[in-house]
């Protein structure tokens, strides 16, 4: 592991250190060469923090137990930092990219194209699975990669459909690998880590928190050229993912449903707001071809 990567992982795992602070530190020391040299007073002065907070960071940087824990993690999982060549280019250019990613599985999938994020309600209607089969199977048969959040409902169905069709899939978690959530998807986690890839920006020992899930949504949308929404309420995690996708300049696709279903309201709102209405796989493929042509022309 490169020294800069080690330093970044170490800083990332100190309690109370935020991404905002990490970016400030990187601005002061781009390779983090000063990380262990600043004393408590310098930390407080440089980053406008209380001495108590600065001391906690200094204590974390000299914590042998934490260093041993990071070594243990690196033996069990891949740890990718924004310094590394394996860091996905699509994430590098989004607002607020994750600085560290913990991974289990096939790292080459981070560079795989074409790719699509699939999100939706945790409580889908009985029509959701046949709709997904109709829209996604033609893409999966062509080797498209599916990214989702391994939640119950649409997320889990998307991963299962990819695995059943021998197509690659990436699950983005809202907690550490040693605290799988939801617990009923533990088997799915192990299957994806063996046949696809699971990633998280949270250290393996960290339990999922409520605010982690809106945060991880920017990674789900950021990894792909577009996000497909299949059944979502107007106020939901799926709509947060859409907001992130739009901020990142990604495509947004929505599947229409029955006006009688609450879980169709979000999709209908997206379509009214300009998302592409999807009825067939070709509706998604055509946008991918357009973007590929634009990229190759530039």
């Amino acid at each position: 592991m490169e020294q800069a990567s080690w330093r970044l992982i170490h800083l990332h795992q100190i309690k109370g250190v935020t991404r905002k602070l990490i970016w400030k530190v990187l601005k002061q020391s781009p390779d983090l060469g000063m990380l262990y040299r600043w004393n408590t007073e310098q930390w407080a002065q440089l980053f406008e923090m209380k001495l108590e907070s600065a001391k906690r960071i200094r204590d974390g940087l000299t914590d042998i137990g934490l260093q041993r824990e990071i070594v243990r993690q690196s033996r069990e999982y891949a740890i990718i930092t924004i310094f590394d060549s394996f860091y996905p280019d699509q994430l590098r250019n989004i607002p607020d990219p994750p600085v560290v990613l913990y991974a289990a599985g096939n790292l080459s999938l981070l560079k795989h194209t074409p790719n699509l994020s699939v999100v939706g309600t945790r409580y889908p209607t009985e029509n959701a699975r046949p709709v997904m089969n109709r829209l996604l199977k033609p893409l999966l048969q062509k080797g498209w990669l599916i990214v989702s959040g391994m939640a119950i409902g649409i997320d889990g169905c998307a991963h299962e459909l990819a695995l059943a069709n021998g197509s690659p899939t990436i699950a983005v978690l809202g907690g550490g690998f040693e605290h799988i959530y939801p617990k009923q998807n533990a088997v799915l986690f192990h299957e994806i880590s063996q046949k696809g890839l699971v990633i998280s920006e949270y250290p393996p020992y960290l339990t999922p928190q409520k605010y982690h899930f809106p945060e991880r949504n920017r990674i789900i949308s950021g990894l792909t050229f577009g996000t497909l929404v299949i059944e979502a309420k107007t106020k939901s995690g799926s709509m947060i993912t859409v907001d992130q996708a739009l901020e990142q300049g990604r495509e947004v696709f929505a599947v229409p449903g029955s006006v009688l279903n609450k879980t169709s309201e979000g999709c209908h709102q997206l379509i009214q707001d300009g998302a592409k209405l999807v009825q067939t796989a070709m509706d998604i493929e055509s946008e991918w071809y357009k973007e590929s042509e634009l990229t190759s022309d530039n």
Side-chain angles (χ1 to χ4, degrees):
M1 186 185 296
E2 295 291 331
Q3 284 189 336
S5 293
W6 168 268
R7 294 169 190 146
L8 182 52
I9 295 163
H10 192 176
L11 180 62
H12 181 252
Q13 294 205 19
I14 294 172
K15 189 174 181 180
V17 171
T18 62
R19 288 192 307 281
K20 187 176 180 180
L21 174 60
I22 289 174
W23 285 113
K24 287 181 180 179
V25 175
L26 285 167
K27 192 172 182 181
Q28 288 285 342
S29 180
D31 66 350
L32 299 180
M34 295 298 295
L35 195 65
Y36 302 104
R37 299 179 187 178
W38 291 320
N39 60 34
T40 301
E41 289 73 20
Q42 287 172 316
W43 273 96
Q45 184 178 7
L46 282 169
F47 305 108
E48 299 177 336
M49 62 175 65
K50 295 178 181 177
L51 279 172
E52 181 184 348
S53 300
K55 183 179 184 304
R56 186 172 61 245
I57 292 172
R58 281 293 304 155
D59 289 345
L61 291 170
T62 56
D63 185 343
I64 300 300
L66 177 56
Q67 293 178 38
R68 286 175 178 162
E69 168 61 20
I70 294 170
V71 171
R72 179 193 72 82
Q73 294 167 17
S74 67
R75 288 172 179 162
E76 295 188 34
Y77 311 104
I79 309 179
I80 307 160
T81 76
I82 204 159
F83 292 128
D84 301 327
S85 59
F86 256 111
Y87 190 95
D89 294 334
Q90 285 175 300
L91 282 186
R92 198 181 292 278
N93 298 316
I94 68 170
D96 191 20
V99 292
V100 179
L101 290 170
Y102 303 85
N106 183 358
L107 291 182
S108 69
L109 295 183
L110 291 171
K111 307 285 187 179
H112 184 99
T113 56
N115 48 39
L116 179 72
S117 299
V118 178
V119 297
T121 179
R122 285 175 166 78
Y123 306 102
T125 67
E126 60 184 13
N127 291 326
R129 194 175 282 271
V131 166
M132 293 176 72
N133 199 57
R134 170 185 165 85
L135 297 178
L136 296 179
K137 195 171 180 179
L139 302 178
L140 298 172
Q141 290 173 338
K142 295 178 180 178
W144 279 58
L145 178 139
I146 298 297
V147 177
S148 198
M150 212 185 78
I152 60 171
I154 297 297
D155 288 24
C157 288
H159 293 304
E160 289 167 0
L161 197 57
L163 292 167
N165 285 274
S167 200
T169 188
I170 297 177
V172 185
L173 305 191
F177 294 157
E178 289 157 15
H179 299 276
I180 299 305
Y181 180 86
K183 289 183 179 179
Q184 58 262 50
N185 276 352
V187 173
L188 182 59
F189 165 80
H190 290 295
E191 189 173 1
I192 295 173
S193 64
Q194 290 170 5
K195 298 178 181 178
L197 179 65
V198 185
I199 62 173
S200 175
E201 68 176 321
Y202 306 105
Y205 57 78
L206 203 63
T207 56
Q209 304 295 322
K210 239 181 181 179
Y211 68 89
H212 287 175
F213 296 97
E215 280 190 337
R216 68 91 193 263
N217 289 349
R218 79 192 194 286
I219 301 175
I220 293 174
S221 58
L223 279 170
T224 63
F225 98 102
T227 295
L228 172 66
V229 187
I230 303 173
E231 295 195 1
K233 293 183 178 180
T234 51
K235 292 183 180 179
S236 62
S238 300
M239 301 299 275
I240 293 173
T241 309
V242 167
D243 289 341
Q244 301 280 8
L246 293 171
E247 186 182 8
Q248 295 160 356
R250 305 296 198 253
E251 297 291 336
V252 175
F253 305 95
V255 180
S258 170
V259 293
L260 302 177
N261 293 332
K262 284 280 185 185
T263 54
S264 295
E265 290 177 355
C267 292
H268 294 165
Q269 183 64 57
L270 290 174
I271 292 166
Q272 287 180 330
D273 291 343
K276 180 159 186 175
L277 186 154
V278 174
Q279 298 182 91
T280 69
M282 185 51 69
D283 292 328
I284 299 169
E285 274 191 285
S286 62
E287 293 302 319
W288 165 254
Y289 292 137
K290 285 179 191 175
E291 180 161 306
S292 299
E293 287 172 6
L294 285 172
T295 305
S296 61
D297 288 344
N298 293 331

